[in-house]
Amino acid sequence: MKTYNNLYKEIISFENLILAWHKARKGKTGKKYVLEFEQEIFCNLMALHYELKYQTYTPRPLKTFILRDPKTRKINKSDFRDRIVHHAIVSILEPIFDKTFIYDSCANRVGKGNLFALKRFKQFVRKVSRNGKINGWFNNNQIKGYCFKADIKHYFEEVNHSILMKIIERKIRDVKLAELINKINANFGMQGERVTSWTEDRKGMPLGNLTSQFFANVYLNELDYFVKHKLKVKYYIRYVDDFIILHSSKRQLQEWKEQIDEFLKEKLKIKLHTQKSRIISLSNGIDFIGFRSFYYYRLVRERNIRKMKKKVGKMRNCEISYWKLMESYQGWQAYAKWANSFTLRKNILREIHKVKEERLKQIKLFNYR
């Protein structure tokens, strides 16, 4: 296996930090913290470069907030200057590790993503269900095959730093870089403490960091290789900590489930979520990547429909403006159009315009009085 040395110099180079700054500011150029950083952009980037060069760099405290969508998640937001460092690291390491990832590792990779995972899932369902074809046609009652749908319990909170660094060290032999990665990961739940050794047995990565998303793939690449090369699973897709395996035999999936759970506990010190990891008949539809997918069609999750309708209600109650709602609707529509949702999208848009007309009438009536 090819190993890489002295990558730290590439990561902290002023040229790479400039590139990282451009990536970190993308889509956020109007934010106050970005404008403040860019008032003295050369000095700030140079100061960051020297802190990294002389290893005096320390991540600033994370800002934590709760996101309910509707699943409650604790998001940790890094300071803008720290996000530049994250981009600097990933821009150098990603091309190295991406070559080692399996084809069906779909999250946070160029050319992959949600839509890619959904298309692969559809292909796999067709292959597994090929014996369910009767007189040249399929119907949901006759579709054969099962899906092991799995979720890792509290994944980002349970990632073991020592195991992660051992995985990274197989390809990267750079002590300075290892110490920098450890500082970033140790910033999660350890703020105010001085990190003296990257070999300390710590757990957890900040959900929200670019580095966390990248290292999530590096860590679970071990699982990918176990599933594909040890268990010889043919129809497997992983999206961050959610993964699915399709097979015609329910018994086979149960055996794989037990073997995977044992592997995760012993090798990666994480475990399957007992309530969210189960074997489901393909004829019932599979909830994956924000949709419930059947053989012939795909539905938007009910909770995502309720979320959009709730925003329409907020406009009716004058809690948000029409333009703010339309901005949300455009984003939601871009997601919903991946499903068979033409009528649904049309009805919600019609409801938005109806509420808009109601508010205009109220304004005219108020002005008339």
Side-chain angles (χ1 to χ4, degrees):
M1 180 184 292
K2 184 178 179 180
T3 58
Y4 296 81
N5 303 308
N6 301 318
L7 290 178
Y8 191 73
K9 290 182 179 179
E10 290 184 46
I11 289 170
I12 70 167
S13 70
F14 196 70
E15 293 78 8
N16 191 46
L17 290 179
I18 292 175
L19 178 63
W21 160 59
H22 280 289
K23 292 179 178 179
R25 74 192 294 269
K26 188 176 181 180
K28 302 176 180 66
T29 53
K31 297 289 185 180
K32 183 179 178 182
Y33 57 83
V34 176
L35 295 173
E36 289 176 351
F37 185 89
E38 292 178 353
Q39 285 180 354
E40 298 289 342
I41 183 62
F42 180 81
C43 293
N44 286 332
L45 286 177
M46 188 58 73
L48 192 57
H49 168 70
Y50 279 113
E51 285 179 35
L52 291 165
K53 182 178 180 179
Y54 296 109
Q55 294 183 273
T56 60
Y57 166 79
T58 301
R60 292 177 179 175
L62 299 168
K63 292 182 180 179
T64 302
F65 60 94
I66 303 300
L67 182 65
R68 294 180 176 87
D69 61 342
K71 180 180 177 181
T72 301
R73 293 184 296 166
K74 186 177 178 182
I75 306 297
N76 303 283
K77 187 176 180 181
S78 295
D79 190 86
F80 182 66
R81 74 194 298 270
D82 295 325
R83 280 182 253 170
I84 294 174
V85 176
H86 302 166
H87 277 280
I89 293 172
V90 173
S91 65
I92 299 299
L93 295 189
E94 188 173 44
I96 295 171
F97 281 93
D98 193 75
K99 298 173 186 177
T100 69
F101 296 159
I102 67 167
Y103 185 74
D104 290 309
S105 171
C106 303
N108 308 310
R109 297 179 66 194
V110 177
K112 301 296 173 76
N114 300 57
L115 186 56
F116 175 86
L118 289 169
K119 288 180 178 178
R120 289 293 282 174
F121 175 78
K122 186 174 182 179
Q123 292 172 9
F124 290 171
V125 169
R126 289 182 181 276
K127 290 179 180 179
V128 171
S129 302
R130 61 185 178 273
N131 294 325
K133 199 170 186 179
I134 298 177
N135 297 326
W137 293 90
F138 282 94
N139 66 64
N140 284 331
N141 293 327
Q142 299 297 332
I143 289 174
K144 296 182 180 180
Y146 299 89
C147 175
F148 170 39
K149 184 179 182 302
D151 179 89
I152 297 173
K153 187 175 182 180
H154 302 149
Y155 174 57
F156 282 89
E157 297 174 17
E158 295 296 325
V159 169
N160 184 286
H161 292 190
S162 296
I163 295 174
L164 174 62
M165 292 311 304
K166 287 174 184 176
I167 295 170
I168 293 172
E169 274 193 328
R170 293 179 199 159
K171 293 195 74 66
I172 309 299
R173 302 294 176 84
D174 191 321
V175 175
K176 290 182 179 180
L177 177 54
E179 290 176 351
L180 176 60
I181 292 170
N182 184 61
K183 280 183 179 182
I184 292 169
N185 287 336
N187 197 32
F188 176 69
M190 306 301 294
Q191 295 179 38
E193 296 186 24
R194 184 170 179 269
V195 180
T196 57
S197 172
W198 61 264
T199 59
E200 292 178 45
D201 193 21
R202 301 191 189 279
K203 292 193 304 181
M205 297 189 298
L207 182 58
N209 275 8
L210 176 67
T211 47
S212 298
Q213 297 169 22
F214 171 68
F215 291 136
N217 274 343
V218 173
Y219 201 77
L220 286 181
N221 194 43
E222 302 296 299
L223 169 65
D224 297 341
Y225 272 67
F226 174 74
V227 171
K228 295 295 291 183
H229 301 292
K230 183 71 174 179
L231 301 182
K232 306 294 184 182
V233 174
K234 193 171 184 180
Y235 304 121
Y236 166 80
I237 305 170
R238 181 175 63 79
Y239 193 92
V240 194
D241 59 331
D242 293 326
F243 63 92
I244 58 171
I245 298 175
L246 278 64
H247 200 273
S248 57
S249 169
K250 189 174 182 179
R251 179 179 294 180
Q252 178 64 80
L253 288 176
Q254 184 60 43
E255 290 180 9
W256 283 339
K257 177 183 177 182
E258 292 169 4
Q259 290 173 300
I260 288 170
D261 196 29
E262 183 180 356
F263 172 83
L264 291 174
K265 289 176 181 177
E266 290 185 3
K267 301 297 183 180
L268 298 180
K269 306 302 180 186
I270 52 181
K271 57 185 178 181
L272 293 175
H273 198 299
T274 54
Q275 295 178 337
K276 296 181 180 180
S277 301
R278 58 193 185 278
I279 298 171
I280 309 164
S281 171
L282 291 176
S283 62
N284 294 333
I286 306 301
D287 195 352
F288 184 56
I289 316 293
F291 299 90
R292 191 174 180 191
S293 297
F294 295 85
Y295 188 88
Y296 278 119
Y297 58 94
R298 190 182 296 138
L299 301 178
V300 179
R301 277 179 179 168
E302 283 294 328
R303 68 188 188 193
N304 288 327
I305 298 173
R306 289 196 299 269
K307 185 177 178 181
M308 191 63 233
K309 288 182 176 180
K310 187 177 180 180
K311 290 183 178 180
V312 177
K314 285 186 176 182
M315 178 183 166
R316 178 174 279 113
N317 297 330
C318 301
E319 295 177 37
I320 60 174
S321 68
Y322 166 76
W323 301 111
K324 186 70 175 177
L325 177 60
M326 283 304 297
E327 184 179 330
S328 296
Y329 174 77
Q330 293 299 333
W332 178 83
Q333 179 184 234
Y335 144 80
K337 70 180 182 181
W338 291 357
N340 301 81
S341 62
F342 177 77
T343 302
L344 171 65
R345 287 180 281 129
K346 186 172 69 173
N347 289 341
I348 290 180
L349 185 60
R350 183 186 293 123
E351 185 65 20
I352 291 173
H353 290 314
K354 180 181 176 182
V355 174
K356 178 187 176 184
E357 292 299 320
E358 289 174 359
R359 288 187 61 179
L360 287 173
K361 286 180 182 178
Q362 291 173 356
I363 293 170
K364 287 180 181 178
L365 181 61
F366 178 80
N367 291 335
Y368 176 77
R369 288 179 179 178

